[in-house]
Amino acid sequence: MTAAVAVGLLVAGGAYLVLQRGLLRVVLGFVLLGHAMVVLVLAAGGDRGGFALPGNGAGETADPLPQAFVLTAVVIAFAVTVYLLGLLRAGSDEPDDDARGPS
């Protein structure tokens, strides 16, 4: 239940920020959406009972597929974030039309 609430809050915050004006807010929205996806995949991967104690699956190997998906998602989210921040920096070199005032 806690993971579902966390995913819902992250998706709601990310969607709100993506729909705002300004590229920095869009970048932060994509970061939140990336974190929501990571939490969703980890929650869907299941739990082996917390600590590795005798009797709760300590001798069993963990399923590597959700971990591989999360690693891939983190790398993709980082690449998208760096690309969007590069766009933000490239766009900041040009003067803003609104900053000059009325002509």
Side-chain angles (χ1 to χ4, degrees):
M1 179 69 174
T2 306
V5 171
V7 169
L9 289 174
L10 287 170
V11 167
Y16 175 76
L17 286 173
V18 166
L19 295 173
Q20 297 297 310
R21 288 188 80 186
L23 191 56
L24 183 59
R25 289 187 182 106
V26 172
V27 171
L28 292 176
F30 274 111
V31 169
L32 285 180
L33 289 173
H35 287 308
M37 202 271 315
V38 167
V39 172
L40 178 68
V41 171
L42 281 179
D47 189 11
R48 293 265 180 198
F51 295 106
L53 298 174
N56 69 349
E60 300 175 24
T61 58
D63 186 18
L65 190 61
Q67 296 173 9
F69 282 151
V70 166
L71 181 62
T72 304
V74 166
V75 170
I76 291 171
F78 180 71
V80 168
T81 303
V82 168
Y83 180 72
L84 290 174
L85 287 175
L87 286 177
L88 179 67
R89 181 174 173 149
S92 66
D93 293 340
E94 300 173 7
D96 198 42
D97 290 337
D98 297 333
R100 284 188 273 157
S103 7

